Amino acid sequence: MTQALLIHSGIAELEIALLKDGVLERYWSETSLEDDESQTSEGQSRVGDVVLARIKRVLPALNAAFVDIGDERDGFLSVRDAAKRGSGPREDDLKIGSLVREGEARLVQVLRDAIGEKGARIGLNIALAGRFLVFSPDGGKVLLSRRIEDEAERVRLKSIFEAMEVLKSGAGIVVRTAAIGASEEALREDAEYLAGIWEDIVEAQEEDEPPVTLHHELGFIERALRDKVGPEIERVIVDDRAAFNAARAYAVEAMPDFSEKIVLHEGPSPLFADHGIDEEIAALQLSEILLANGGWITIEPTEALTAVDVNSGKHIARSDLEATALAVNTEAAEAIARQLILRGIGGLIVIDFIPMTDGFDRLTEMLAEKLKQAGIQADAARMEGMNIVALTIKHMRASVDRRATEPCTLCDGHGRRRSVSAIARQALRQVERAAAAAPGRPIAMRVGSEIAAWLEARSGQLKSGFSRKGITALRVFPEAQRARDSFSIETMGKETPV
Protein backbone atom coordinates (compact mmCIF):
# COMPACT_ATOMS: atom_id res chain seq x y z
CA MET A 1 0.00 0.00 0.00
CA THR A 2 1.52 3.31 -1.12
CA GLN A 3 1.07 6.33 1.09
CA ALA A 4 1.80 9.99 0.42
CA LEU A 5 1.38 13.24 2.35
CA LEU A 6 0.23 16.24 0.30
CA ILE A 7 0.84 19.75 1.64
CA HIS A 8 -0.99 22.71 0.11
CA SER A 9 0.23 26.12 1.21
CA GLY A 10 -2.46 28.52 0.03
CA ILE A 11 -2.81 32.26 0.17
CA ALA A 12 -4.58 32.19 3.54
CA GLU A 13 -4.42 28.60 4.79
CA LEU A 14 -2.39 25.42 5.04
CA GLU A 15 -3.95 22.06 4.16
CA ILE A 16 -2.51 18.57 4.55
CA ALA A 17 -3.95 15.37 3.09
CA LEU A 18 -2.85 11.77 3.67
CA LEU A 19 -3.42 9.44 0.72
CA LYS A 20 -3.34 5.64 0.77
CA ASP A 21 -3.27 4.10 -2.70
CA GLY A 22 -4.58 7.41 -4.02
CA VAL A 23 -7.55 7.48 -1.63
CA LEU A 24 -8.00 10.34 0.86
CA GLU A 25 -7.50 8.93 4.38
CA ARG A 26 -6.92 11.98 6.61
CA TYR A 27 -7.26 15.74 6.23
CA TRP A 28 -6.03 18.63 8.39
CA SER A 29 -6.14 22.40 7.85
CA GLU A 30 -5.08 25.55 9.64
CA THR A 31 -5.23 29.26 8.89
CA SER A 32 -1.95 30.95 8.01
CA LEU A 33 -3.16 34.46 8.86
CA GLU A 34 -2.11 35.83 12.24
CA ASP A 35 -5.16 38.06 12.64
CA ASP A 36 -7.82 35.62 11.44
CA GLU A 37 -10.77 35.88 13.82
CA SER A 38 -10.70 32.08 14.21
CA GLN A 39 -7.02 31.89 15.14
CA THR A 40 -7.13 31.47 18.89
CA SER A 41 -10.40 29.57 19.09
CA GLU A 42 -10.85 27.49 15.99
CA GLY A 43 -8.04 28.31 13.55
CA GLN A 44 -4.41 27.74 14.51
CA SER A 45 -4.00 24.97 17.06
CA ARG A 46 -2.43 25.68 20.45
CA VAL A 47 -2.21 22.05 21.52
CA GLY A 48 1.24 21.46 23.00
CA ASP A 49 1.94 25.09 23.87
CA VAL A 50 3.41 25.65 27.35
CA VAL A 51 2.03 28.73 29.12
CA LEU A 52 2.91 30.53 32.31
CA ALA A 53 -0.69 31.03 33.43
CA ARG A 54 -2.62 32.55 36.32
CA ILE A 55 -5.09 30.46 38.33
CA LYS A 56 -8.22 32.60 38.13
CA ARG A 57 -10.95 30.68 39.95
CA VAL A 58 -10.93 27.43 41.92
CA LEU A 59 -14.32 25.71 41.88
CA PRO A 60 -14.58 22.97 44.55
CA ALA A 61 -18.06 21.98 43.33
CA LEU A 62 -16.60 21.06 39.92
CA ASN A 63 -13.29 19.91 41.37
CA ALA A 64 -11.70 22.08 38.69
CA ALA A 65 -10.28 25.55 38.08
CA PHE A 66 -10.48 28.24 35.42
CA VAL A 67 -7.09 29.52 34.35
CA ASP A 68 -6.07 32.65 32.45
CA ILE A 69 -3.84 31.49 29.57
CA GLY A 70 -4.09 34.68 27.52
CA ASP A 71 -6.99 33.48 25.32
CA GLU A 72 -10.39 35.06 24.92
CA ARG A 73 -11.80 32.27 27.12
CA ASP A 74 -10.14 30.92 30.27
CA GLY A 75 -8.61 27.47 30.14
CA PHE A 76 -10.26 24.62 32.04
CA LEU A 77 -8.15 22.60 34.49
CA SER A 78 -9.79 19.45 35.87
CA VAL A 79 -8.43 17.62 38.90
CA ARG A 80 -7.46 14.73 36.59
CA ASP A 81 -5.26 17.02 34.49
CA ALA A 82 -3.86 18.76 37.55
CA ALA A 83 -2.79 15.59 39.39
CA LYS A 84 0.69 14.19 38.87
CA ARG A 85 0.49 11.07 36.74
CA GLY A 86 1.00 7.69 38.37
CA SER A 87 1.57 8.79 41.96
CA GLY A 88 -0.18 9.93 45.09
CA PRO A 89 -3.86 9.43 46.03
CA ARG A 90 -6.49 8.17 43.64
CA GLU A 91 -8.11 10.85 41.49
CA ASP A 92 -11.46 10.39 43.28
CA ASP A 93 -9.79 11.33 46.57
CA LEU A 94 -8.04 14.46 45.27
CA LYS A 95 -9.38 17.99 45.71
CA ILE A 96 -8.49 20.73 43.24
CA GLY A 97 -7.89 23.12 46.14
CA SER A 98 -4.98 20.98 47.33
CA LEU A 99 -3.28 21.24 43.93
CA VAL A 100 -3.72 24.90 42.91
CA ARG A 101 -4.54 28.20 44.61
CA GLU A 102 -6.36 31.21 43.20
CA GLY A 103 -4.01 33.93 42.01
CA GLU A 104 -0.87 31.81 41.77
CA ALA A 105 1.21 31.51 38.61
CA ARG A 106 1.61 27.97 37.23
CA LEU A 107 3.11 26.35 34.17
CA VAL A 108 0.38 24.66 32.15
CA GLN A 109 0.17 22.93 28.78
CA VAL A 110 -2.69 23.12 26.29
CA LEU A 111 -4.18 19.64 25.85
CA ARG A 112 -7.17 20.50 23.69
CA ASP A 113 -8.04 23.60 21.74
CA ALA A 114 -10.95 25.84 22.67
CA ILE A 115 -14.11 24.69 20.89
CA GLY A 116 -17.23 26.81 20.62
CA GLU A 117 -17.95 28.36 24.01
CA LYS A 118 -15.65 25.94 25.81
CA GLY A 119 -12.18 27.15 26.70
CA ALA A 120 -9.04 25.16 26.08
CA ARG A 121 -8.44 22.09 28.21
CA ILE A 122 -5.13 22.42 30.03
CA GLY A 123 -2.94 20.32 32.32
CA LEU A 124 -0.07 20.68 34.78
CA ASN A 125 1.87 17.65 33.49
CA ILE A 126 4.19 19.06 30.83
CA ALA A 127 5.08 16.74 27.94
CA LEU A 128 7.35 17.93 25.11
CA ALA A 129 7.02 15.92 21.90
CA GLY A 130 10.00 15.13 19.71
CA ARG A 131 10.55 12.97 16.66
CA PHE A 132 11.35 9.79 18.61
CA LEU A 133 10.08 10.46 22.12
CA VAL A 134 7.96 12.55 24.44
CA PHE A 135 9.93 14.22 27.26
CA SER A 136 8.28 14.70 30.65
CA PRO A 137 10.29 16.82 33.12
CA ASP A 138 9.04 14.88 36.15
CA GLY A 139 7.90 11.61 34.59
CA GLY A 140 10.53 9.57 36.39
CA LYS A 141 10.57 6.52 34.14
CA VAL A 142 10.96 5.20 30.59
CA LEU A 143 7.77 3.96 28.93
CA LEU A 144 7.48 2.45 25.45
CA SER A 145 4.62 2.69 22.98
CA ARG A 146 2.54 -0.48 22.87
CA ARG A 147 2.91 -0.43 19.10
CA ILE A 148 6.60 -1.29 19.51
CA GLU A 149 5.99 -5.05 19.53
CA ASP A 150 9.42 -6.58 18.87
CA GLU A 151 10.79 -7.62 22.29
CA ALA A 152 14.45 -7.26 21.29
CA GLU A 153 13.82 -3.72 20.05
CA ARG A 154 11.96 -2.85 23.24
CA VAL A 155 14.90 -4.03 25.33
CA ARG A 156 17.37 -2.08 23.14
CA LEU A 157 15.40 1.15 23.33
CA LYS A 158 14.77 0.95 27.06
CA SER A 159 18.42 0.31 27.83
CA ILE A 160 19.51 3.26 25.68
CA PHE A 161 17.15 5.72 27.34
CA GLU A 162 17.65 4.49 30.90
CA ALA A 163 21.38 5.21 30.57
CA MET A 164 20.84 8.80 29.43
CA GLU A 165 22.10 11.69 31.56
CA VAL A 166 18.91 13.71 31.01
CA LEU A 167 16.89 11.21 33.08
CA LYS A 168 18.99 11.51 36.20
CA SER A 169 17.15 14.64 37.29
CA GLY A 170 13.86 12.72 37.55
CA ALA A 171 12.67 13.30 34.00
CA GLY A 172 10.67 10.66 32.14
CA ILE A 173 10.43 9.55 28.51
CA VAL A 174 7.72 7.93 26.42
CA VAL A 175 9.30 6.25 23.40
CA ARG A 176 7.36 6.71 20.14
CA THR A 177 7.06 4.14 17.34
CA ALA A 178 9.27 6.35 15.14
CA ALA A 179 12.18 5.30 17.40
CA ILE A 180 12.12 1.75 16.01
CA GLY A 181 15.49 1.17 14.35
CA ALA A 182 16.80 4.67 15.14
CA SER A 183 20.46 4.99 16.09
CA GLU A 184 21.51 5.65 19.67
CA GLU A 185 23.00 8.97 18.57
CA ALA A 186 19.73 10.13 16.99
CA LEU A 187 17.76 9.11 20.08
CA ARG A 188 20.20 10.89 22.38
CA GLU A 189 20.09 14.07 20.29
CA ASP A 190 16.29 14.12 20.41
CA ALA A 191 16.27 13.68 24.19
CA GLU A 192 18.89 16.37 24.74
CA TYR A 193 17.09 18.76 22.41
CA LEU A 194 13.83 18.40 24.37
CA ALA A 195 15.66 18.68 27.70
CA GLY A 196 17.16 21.93 26.41
CA ILE A 197 13.70 23.27 25.57
CA TRP A 198 12.61 22.51 29.12
CA GLU A 199 15.60 24.37 30.53
CA ASP A 200 14.68 27.39 28.40
CA ILE A 201 11.09 27.25 29.70
CA VAL A 202 12.24 27.14 33.33
CA GLU A 203 14.57 30.07 32.77
CA ALA A 204 11.90 32.15 31.03
CA GLN A 205 9.45 31.37 33.82
CA GLU A 206 11.58 33.36 36.24
CA GLU A 207 11.57 36.45 34.02
CA ASP A 208 8.01 36.72 32.59
CA GLU A 209 4.63 37.66 34.04
CA PRO A 210 1.54 35.50 33.38
CA PRO A 211 -0.22 34.92 31.15
CA VAL A 212 2.53 34.36 28.58
CA THR A 213 3.34 31.50 26.22
CA LEU A 214 6.84 30.25 26.96
CA HIS A 215 6.97 27.50 24.37
CA HIS A 216 5.12 27.23 21.07
CA GLU A 217 4.59 23.85 19.47
CA LEU A 218 6.11 23.29 16.04
CA GLY A 219 4.47 24.93 13.04
CA PHE A 220 1.72 23.11 11.16
CA ILE A 221 3.99 21.67 8.47
CA GLU A 222 6.82 20.66 10.80
CA ARG A 223 4.33 19.11 13.22
CA ALA A 224 2.81 17.05 10.40
CA LEU A 225 6.23 15.75 9.36
CA ARG A 226 7.11 14.85 12.95
CA ASP A 227 3.82 13.16 13.82
CA LYS A 228 2.48 11.80 10.51
CA VAL A 229 5.54 10.62 8.61
CA GLY A 230 6.64 7.06 9.29
CA PRO A 231 8.28 4.31 7.26
CA GLU A 232 5.01 3.70 5.41
CA ILE A 233 5.05 7.23 3.86
CA GLU A 234 6.84 7.08 0.51
CA ARG A 235 6.91 10.79 -0.24
CA VAL A 236 5.71 14.23 0.78
CA ILE A 237 4.57 16.57 -1.99
CA VAL A 238 4.48 20.31 -1.33
CA ASP A 239 3.00 22.85 -3.76
CA ASP A 240 4.72 26.00 -2.53
CA ARG A 241 8.41 26.88 -2.66
CA ALA A 242 8.55 28.54 0.79
CA ALA A 243 6.64 25.67 2.42
CA PHE A 244 8.85 23.17 0.59
CA ASN A 245 11.98 24.89 1.91
CA ALA A 246 10.57 24.86 5.45
CA ALA A 247 9.69 21.17 5.21
CA ARG A 248 13.10 20.27 3.79
CA ALA A 249 14.91 22.33 6.45
CA TYR A 250 13.05 20.56 9.26
CA ALA A 251 13.61 17.14 7.69
CA VAL A 252 17.35 17.72 7.22
CA GLU A 253 17.60 18.56 10.92
CA ALA A 254 15.14 16.06 12.43
CA MET A 255 14.79 13.23 9.90
CA PRO A 256 17.66 13.45 7.38
CA ASP A 257 17.02 10.02 5.86
CA PHE A 258 13.63 11.27 4.68
CA SER A 259 14.56 14.72 3.38
CA GLU A 260 15.03 13.65 -0.25
CA LYS A 261 11.52 12.20 -0.29
CA ILE A 262 10.06 15.69 0.12
CA VAL A 263 9.39 16.97 -3.40
CA LEU A 264 8.00 20.17 -4.91
CA HIS A 265 4.82 20.02 -6.99
CA GLU A 266 5.30 22.18 -10.03
CA GLY A 267 2.55 20.98 -12.35
CA PRO A 268 0.09 23.32 -14.09
CA SER A 269 -2.90 22.08 -12.06
CA PRO A 270 -3.38 22.55 -8.28
CA LEU A 271 -1.92 19.78 -6.13
CA PHE A 272 -5.18 18.50 -4.66
CA ALA A 273 -6.95 18.64 -8.04
CA ASP A 274 -4.05 16.75 -9.60
CA HIS A 275 -4.69 13.90 -7.15
CA GLY A 276 -8.47 14.06 -7.49
CA ILE A 277 -9.29 14.99 -3.89
CA ASP A 278 -10.21 18.68 -4.13
CA GLU A 279 -13.94 18.07 -4.58
CA GLU A 280 -14.03 15.50 -1.79
CA ILE A 281 -12.36 17.95 0.60
CA ALA A 282 -14.85 20.68 -0.37
CA ALA A 283 -17.68 18.21 0.33
CA LEU A 284 -16.54 17.77 3.94
CA GLN A 285 -18.65 20.81 4.81
CA LEU A 286 -21.83 19.27 3.37
CA SER A 287 -24.32 17.57 5.66
CA GLU A 288 -25.50 14.89 3.22
CA ILE A 289 -23.27 12.06 1.97
CA LEU A 290 -24.58 9.69 -0.71
CA LEU A 291 -23.98 5.94 -0.44
CA ALA A 292 -23.21 3.67 -3.39
CA ASN A 293 -26.32 1.57 -2.69
CA GLY A 294 -28.69 4.53 -3.18
CA GLY A 295 -29.02 5.47 0.47
CA TRP A 296 -27.46 8.42 2.25
CA ILE A 297 -26.30 9.64 5.63
CA THR A 298 -26.89 13.07 7.14
CA ILE A 299 -24.42 14.59 9.60
CA GLU A 300 -25.65 17.47 11.76
CA PRO A 301 -23.25 18.93 14.38
CA THR A 302 -24.73 20.71 17.40
CA GLU A 303 -23.17 22.25 20.49
CA ALA A 304 -23.86 19.17 22.62
CA LEU A 305 -23.38 16.33 20.14
CA THR A 306 -23.20 15.31 16.49
CA ALA A 307 -26.33 13.61 15.16
CA VAL A 308 -26.05 11.17 12.25
CA ASP A 309 -29.08 9.77 10.42
CA VAL A 310 -29.02 6.78 8.04
CA ASN A 311 -31.56 6.60 5.21
CA SER A 312 -32.10 3.65 2.84
CA GLY A 313 -33.22 5.88 -0.04
CA LYS A 314 -33.59 3.93 -3.28
CA HIS A 315 -32.02 0.72 -1.99
CA ILE A 316 -34.58 -1.86 -3.14
CA ALA A 317 -32.24 -4.58 -4.37
CA ARG A 318 -33.52 -7.09 -1.78
CA SER A 319 -37.05 -8.06 -0.86
CA ASP A 320 -35.91 -9.14 2.60
CA LEU A 321 -36.23 -6.02 4.78
CA GLU A 322 -33.80 -7.37 7.38
CA ALA A 323 -31.15 -8.04 4.73
CA THR A 324 -31.75 -4.62 3.19
CA ALA A 325 -31.33 -2.89 6.55
CA LEU A 326 -28.13 -4.81 7.29
CA ALA A 327 -26.64 -4.00 3.86
CA VAL A 328 -27.43 -0.28 4.10
CA ASN A 329 -26.35 -0.02 7.74
CA THR A 330 -23.05 -1.81 7.05
CA GLU A 331 -22.16 0.51 4.18
CA ALA A 332 -23.31 3.49 6.23
CA ALA A 333 -21.14 2.46 9.21
CA GLU A 334 -18.04 2.42 7.00
CA ALA A 335 -18.95 5.79 5.47
CA ILE A 336 -19.70 7.32 8.89
CA ALA A 337 -16.35 6.20 10.34
CA ARG A 338 -14.55 7.69 7.33
CA GLN A 339 -16.42 10.99 7.60
CA LEU A 340 -15.76 11.27 11.35
CA ILE A 341 -12.04 10.78 10.66
CA LEU A 342 -11.83 13.22 7.74
CA ARG A 343 -13.95 15.90 9.41
CA GLY A 344 -12.17 15.62 12.77
CA ILE A 345 -15.45 15.18 14.65
CA GLY A 346 -15.14 14.41 18.35
CA GLY A 347 -17.24 14.40 21.48
CA LEU A 348 -20.56 12.53 21.55
CA ILE A 349 -21.81 11.14 18.23
CA VAL A 350 -25.30 9.64 18.08
CA ILE A 351 -26.11 7.49 15.01
CA ASP A 352 -29.69 6.56 14.10
CA PHE A 353 -29.44 3.39 11.98
CA ILE A 354 -32.21 1.72 9.97
CA PRO A 355 -34.21 -0.63 12.24
CA MET A 356 -33.12 -4.28 12.19
CA THR A 357 -33.31 -7.25 14.52
CA ASP A 358 -29.67 -8.38 14.63
CA GLY A 359 -26.29 -7.02 13.64
CA PHE A 360 -25.82 -4.02 15.93
CA ASP A 361 -22.87 -5.61 17.72
CA ARG A 362 -21.18 -5.97 14.35
CA LEU A 363 -21.85 -2.31 13.52
CA THR A 364 -20.43 -1.01 16.81
CA GLU A 365 -17.34 -3.20 16.45
CA MET A 366 -16.85 -2.02 12.87
CA LEU A 367 -17.08 1.66 13.86
CA ALA A 368 -14.62 1.27 16.73
CA GLU A 369 -12.17 -0.77 14.61
CA LYS A 370 -12.20 1.69 11.68
CA LEU A 371 -11.46 4.55 14.05
CA LYS A 372 -8.77 2.55 15.84
CA GLN A 373 -7.01 1.90 12.52
CA ALA A 374 -6.79 5.68 12.10
CA GLY A 375 -5.25 6.04 15.57
CA ILE A 376 -8.49 7.33 17.12
CA GLN A 377 -9.66 5.83 20.40
CA ALA A 378 -13.45 5.60 20.55
CA ASP A 379 -16.05 3.95 22.78
CA ALA A 380 -19.11 2.62 20.95
CA ALA A 381 -22.31 1.11 22.33
CA ARG A 382 -25.90 0.54 21.27
CA MET A 383 -28.63 2.26 23.24
CA GLU A 384 -30.70 -0.53 24.77
CA GLY A 385 -33.87 -1.32 22.81
CA MET A 386 -33.20 1.34 20.16
CA ASN A 387 -31.65 1.53 16.69
CA ILE A 388 -29.14 4.08 17.95
CA VAL A 389 -25.41 3.64 18.43
CA ALA A 390 -23.54 6.20 20.55
CA LEU A 391 -19.85 6.95 20.07
CA THR A 392 -17.52 9.04 22.19
CA ILE A 393 -14.28 10.39 20.74
CA LYS A 394 -11.84 12.61 22.59
CA HIS A 395 -11.86 16.18 21.24
CA MET A 396 -8.45 17.63 20.30
CA ARG A 397 -9.53 20.60 18.23
CA ALA A 398 -12.57 21.95 16.39
CA SER A 399 -13.97 19.93 13.50
CA VAL A 400 -13.91 21.02 9.85
CA ASP A 401 -17.52 22.17 10.17
CA ARG A 402 -16.88 24.12 13.37
CA ARG A 403 -13.86 25.92 11.90
CA ALA A 404 -15.76 26.85 8.73
CA THR A 405 -18.94 28.17 10.36
CA GLU A 406 -20.03 30.75 12.89
CA PRO A 407 -23.16 31.34 15.00
CA CYS A 408 -26.02 32.80 12.96
CA THR A 409 -26.81 36.30 14.24
CA LEU A 410 -30.23 36.27 12.57
CA CYS A 411 -31.47 33.51 14.87
CA ASP A 412 -29.75 34.57 18.10
CA GLY A 413 -27.03 31.99 17.69
CA HIS A 414 -29.38 28.97 17.62
CA GLY A 415 -28.01 27.93 14.22
CA ARG A 416 -24.72 28.18 12.31
CA ARG A 417 -23.75 29.47 8.91
CA ARG A 418 -20.49 29.50 6.94
CA SER A 419 -18.08 32.05 8.38
CA VAL A 420 -16.70 35.03 6.47
CA SER A 421 -13.18 33.64 6.70
CA ALA A 422 -14.25 30.24 5.30
CA ILE A 423 -16.00 31.87 2.33
CA ALA A 424 -13.04 34.17 1.71
CA ARG A 425 -10.57 31.28 1.81
CA GLN A 426 -12.73 29.33 -0.65
CA ALA A 427 -12.69 32.33 -2.99
CA LEU A 428 -8.91 32.61 -2.63
CA ARG A 429 -8.55 28.95 -3.59
CA GLN A 430 -10.43 29.75 -6.79
CA VAL A 431 -8.09 32.70 -7.36
CA GLU A 432 -5.15 30.28 -7.11
CA ARG A 433 -6.76 28.02 -9.71
CA ALA A 434 -7.44 30.90 -12.06
CA ALA A 435 -3.84 32.09 -11.73
CA ALA A 436 -2.49 28.59 -12.41
CA ALA A 437 -4.73 28.22 -15.49
CA ALA A 438 -3.75 31.62 -16.95
CA PRO A 439 -0.29 32.62 -15.63
CA GLY A 440 0.36 36.35 -15.63
CA ARG A 441 -3.23 37.33 -16.43
CA PRO A 442 -5.00 39.83 -14.14
CA ILE A 443 -7.83 38.37 -12.04
CA ALA A 444 -11.15 39.93 -11.09
CA MET A 445 -12.80 38.87 -7.85
CA ARG A 446 -16.47 39.82 -7.31
CA VAL A 447 -17.62 39.31 -3.72
CA GLY A 448 -20.15 40.53 -1.17
CA SER A 449 -19.39 43.45 1.12
CA GLU A 450 -18.43 41.35 4.17
CA ILE A 451 -15.96 39.27 2.18
CA ALA A 452 -14.45 42.39 0.60
CA ALA A 453 -13.97 43.93 4.06
CA TRP A 454 -12.28 40.72 5.31
CA LEU A 455 -9.88 40.78 2.35
CA GLU A 456 -9.12 44.48 2.78
CA ALA A 457 -8.35 44.07 6.49
CA ARG A 458 -5.79 41.38 5.65
CA SER A 459 -4.41 42.84 2.45
CA GLY A 460 -0.89 43.20 3.88
CA GLN A 461 -0.63 39.52 4.82
CA LEU A 462 -2.37 38.34 1.64
CA LYS A 463 0.13 40.14 -0.60
CA SER A 464 2.87 37.70 0.39
CA GLY A 465 0.55 34.82 -0.48
CA PHE A 466 -0.27 36.36 -3.85
CA SER A 467 3.43 36.79 -4.53
CA ARG A 468 4.17 33.14 -3.69
CA LYS A 469 1.49 32.03 -6.12
CA GLY A 470 2.67 34.33 -8.91
CA ILE A 471 -0.42 36.54 -8.74
CA THR A 472 0.68 40.02 -9.73
CA ALA A 473 -2.65 41.54 -10.71
CA LEU A 474 -5.89 41.21 -8.75
CA ARG A 475 -8.87 43.50 -8.42
CA VAL A 476 -11.62 43.00 -5.84
CA PHE A 477 -15.10 44.28 -6.76
CA PRO A 478 -17.37 44.60 -3.68
CA GLU A 479 -21.04 44.11 -4.58
CA ALA A 480 -23.48 45.07 -1.84
CA GLN A 481 -26.35 43.12 -3.39
CA ARG A 482 -24.40 39.90 -3.79
CA ALA A 483 -25.30 37.05 -1.43
CA ARG A 484 -22.87 36.60 1.45
CA ASP A 485 -21.55 33.21 0.31
CA SER A 486 -21.58 34.01 -3.41
CA PHE A 487 -18.52 35.08 -5.41
CA SER A 488 -17.13 34.92 -8.94
CA ILE A 489 -13.54 34.74 -10.16
CA GLU A 490 -12.53 35.57 -13.71
CA THR A 491 -9.41 36.55 -15.64
CA MET A 492 -9.11 40.03 -17.11
CA GLY A 493 -7.41 41.47 -20.14
CA LYS A 494 -5.57 44.42 -18.60
CA GLU A 495 -2.97 44.70 -15.90
CA THR A 496 -4.34 45.69 -12.50
CA PRO A 497 -2.03 45.91 -9.47
CA VAL A 498 -2.67 43.60 -6.51
Side-chain angles (χ1 to χ4, degrees), residues 316-351:
I316 54 174
R318 301 173 185 266
S319 57
D320 185 340
L321 293 179
E322 185 71 14
T324 297
L326 179 59
V328 175
N329 284 340
T330 299
E331 184 180 346
E334 290 194 12
I336 290 166
R338 185 163 187 268
Q339 290 297 318
L340 295 178
I341 293 166
L342 290 175
R343 297 176 184 227
I345 295 175
L348 175 62
I349 300 103
V350 178
I351 307 169

Side-chain angles (χ1 to χ4, degrees), residues 295-316:
W296 71 88
I297 58 177
T298 303
I299 301 176
E300 293 290 352
T302 72
E303 190 70 26
L305 54 82
T306 298
V308 183
D309 187 43
V310 180
N311 295 277
S312 60
K314 300 178 181 179
H315 185 80
I316 54 174

Side-chain angles (χ1 to χ4, degrees), residues 341-410:
I341 293 166
L342 290 175
R343 297 176 184 227
I345 295 175
L348 175 62
I349 300 103
V350 178
I351 307 169
D352 185 8
F353 283 104
I354 297 170
M356 61 182 187
T357 304
D358 297 309
F360 276 96
D361 288 345
R362 179 177 161 188
L363 292 180
T364 56
E365 290 172 4
M366 180 187 300
L367 285 164
E369 181 60 29
K370 291 287 183 183
L371 293 166
K372 182 180 179 181
Q373 290 172 4
I376 298 171
Q377 189 64 43
D379 294 317
R382 180 189 181 185
M383 292 187 178
E384 187 68 31
M386 306 177 73
N387 305 304
I388 293 175
V389 170
L391 279 168
T392 56
I393 300 174
K394 184 183 293 185
H395 267 306
M396 288 300 290
R397 64 172 308 187
S399 65
V400 169
D401 175 83
R402 172 68 67 170
R403 296 198 305 274
T405 62
E406 64 187 12
C408 175
T409 55
L410 299 179

Side-chain angles (χ1 to χ4, degrees), residues 174-410:
V174 177
V175 185
R176 309 179 75 174
T177 54
I180 296 174
S183 69
E184 181 175 348
E185 181 184 5
L187 298 173
R188 190 177 302 279
E189 286 178 355
D190 204 26
E192 291 175 350
Y193 169 72
L194 295 174
I197 290 178
W198 174 243
E199 290 176 3
D200 292 341
I201 291 172
V202 172
E203 185 177 333
Q205 179 185 5
E206 304 299 324
E207 301 173 356
D208 291 315
E209 285 294 319
V212 59
T213 300
L214 302 182
H215 169 69
H216 290 279
E217 247 288 30
L218 289 177
F220 190 51
I221 293 174
E222 293 85 355
R223 196 164 66 243
L225 293 175
R226 182 193 69 193
D227 297 339
K228 312 302 179 187
V229 171
E232 67 281 359
I233 301 291
E234 295 188 351
R235 58 179 178 158
V236 173
I237 309 172
V238 190
D239 68 356
D240 176 84
R241 173 66 67 177
F244 168 76
N245 290 340
R248 268 286 183 92
Y250 173 78
V252 167
E253 182 71 26
M255 42 201 297
D257 293 343
F258 192 84
S259 61
E260 294 301 318
K261 296 181 181 180
I262 301 174
V263 298
L264 181 64
H265 172 77
E266 296 182 295
S269 58
L271 176 61
F272 285 1
D274 205 35
H275 287 78
I277 61 172
D278 55 336
E279 292 184 3
E280 185 173 9
I281 289 174
L284 294 178
Q285 296 178 29
L286 302 179
S287 61
E288 188 173 287
I289 299 96
L290 299 179
L291 302 176
N293 61 26
W296 71 88
I297 58 177
T298 303
I299 301 176
E300 293 290 352
T302 72
E303 190 70 26
L305 54 82
T306 298
V308 183
D309 187 43
V310 180
N311 295 277
S312 60
K314 300 178 181 179
H315 185 80
I316 54 174
R318 301 173 185 266
S319 57
D320 185 340
L321 293 179
E322 185 71 14
T324 297
L326 179 59
V328 175
N329 284 340
T330 299
E331 184 180 346
E334 290 194 12
I336 290 166
R338 185 163 187 268
Q339 290 297 318
L340 295 178
I341 293 166
L342 290 175
R343 297 176 184 227
I345 295 175
L348 175 62
I349 300 103
V350 178
I351 307 169
D352 185 8
F353 283 104
I354 297 170
M356 61 182 187
T357 304
D358 297 309
F360 276 96
D361 288 345
R362 179 177 161 188
L363 292 180
T364 56
E365 290 172 4
M366 180 187 300
L367 285 164
E369 181 60 29
K370 291 287 183 183
L371 293 166
K372 182 180 179 181
Q373 290 172 4
I376 298 171
Q377 189 64 43
D379 294 317
R382 180 189 181 185
M383 292 187 178
E384 187 68 31
M386 306 177 73
N387 305 304
I388 293 175
V389 170
L391 279 168
T392 56
I393 300 174
K394 184 183 293 185
H395 267 306
M396 288 300 290
R397 64 172 308 187
S399 65
V400 169
D401 175 83
R402 172 68 67 170
R403 296 198 305 274
T405 62
E406 64 187 12
C408 175
T409 55
L410 299 179

Side-chain angles (χ1 to χ4, degrees), residues 2 16-17 51 80 86 104 123 127 131 173 212-214 246 269 280 302 398 400 419 421 453 460 463 476 483-484 491:
T2 61
I16 296 178
V51 182
R80 172 193 294 182
E104 72 173 335
R131 170 75 175 146
I173 280 176
V212 59
T213 300
L214 302 182
S269 58
E280 185 173 9
T302 72
V400 169
S419 64
S421 61
K463 280 187 177 181
V476 178
R484 185 174 185 267
T491 54

Side-chain angles (χ1 to χ4, degrees), residues 19-224:
L19 271 59
K20 291 185 180 180
D21 289 335
V23 177
L24 181 65
E25 287 286 320
R26 299 294 298 269
Y27 171 74
W28 305 270
S29 67
E30 191 168 281
T31 179
S32 58
L33 301 181
E34 294 181 0
D35 59 349
D36 193 320
E37 70 270 16
S38 66
Q39 175 182 327
T40 57
S41 58
E42 293 159 8
Q44 295 178 344
S45 176
R46 291 199 65 186
V47 173
D49 285 2
V50 178
V51 182
L52 180 60
R54 181 79 71 187
I55 307 299
K56 199 167 181 181
R57 281 189 297 161
V58 175
L59 304 174
L62 294 178
N63 214 8
F66 286 108
V67 183
D68 183 3
I69 60 172
D71 276 0
E72 181 181 345
R73 293 182 291 280
D74 291 335
F76 182 79
L77 177 67
S78 68
V79 71
R80 172 193 294 182
D81 295 322
K84 185 176 181 180
R85 300 188 191 101
S87 65
R90 293 186 308 112
E91 180 187 317
D92 293 343
D93 298 328
L94 286 172
K95 301 299 180 185
I96 191 68
S98 67
L99 301 173
V100 296
R101 300 190 312 275
E102 287 187 1
E104 72 173 335
R106 295 294 295 268
L107 276 179
V108 303
Q109 188 166 38
V110 179
L111 305 178
R112 186 203 67 195
D113 285 319
I115 300 174
E117 296 303 313
K118 299 176 182 177
R121 177 185 157 208
I122 60 174
L124 298 183
N125 295 289
I126 309 299
L128 304 175
R131 170 75 175 146
F132 302 118
L133 59 102
V134 177
F135 177 87
S136 176
D138 57 357
K141 62 180 71 174
V142 176
L143 301 174
L144 283 80
S145 167
R146 293 178 181 176
R147 295 170 63 187
I148 303 176
E149 298 176 349
D150 183 80
E151 187 59 31
E153 181 65 0
R154 291 180 68 88
V155 171
R156 182 186 80 92
L157 291 171
K158 191 159 189 176
S159 64
I160 288 174
F161 284 112
E162 286 181 340
M164 287 187 182
E165 191 72 25
V166 296
L167 297 187
K168 293 183 179 179
S169 62
I173 280 176
V174 177
V175 185
R176 309 179 75 174
T177 54
I180 296 174
S183 69
E184 181 175 348
E185 181 184 5
L187 298 173
R188 190 177 302 279
E189 286 178 355
D190 204 26
E192 291 175 350
Y193 169 72
L194 295 174
I197 290 178
W198 174 243
E199 290 176 3
D200 292 341
I201 291 172
V202 172
E203 185 177 333
Q205 179 185 5
E206 304 299 324
E207 301 173 356
D208 291 315
E209 285 294 319
V212 59
T213 300
L214 302 182
H215 169 69
H216 290 279
E217 247 288 30
L218 289 177
F220 190 51
I221 293 174
E222 293 85 355
R223 196 164 66 243

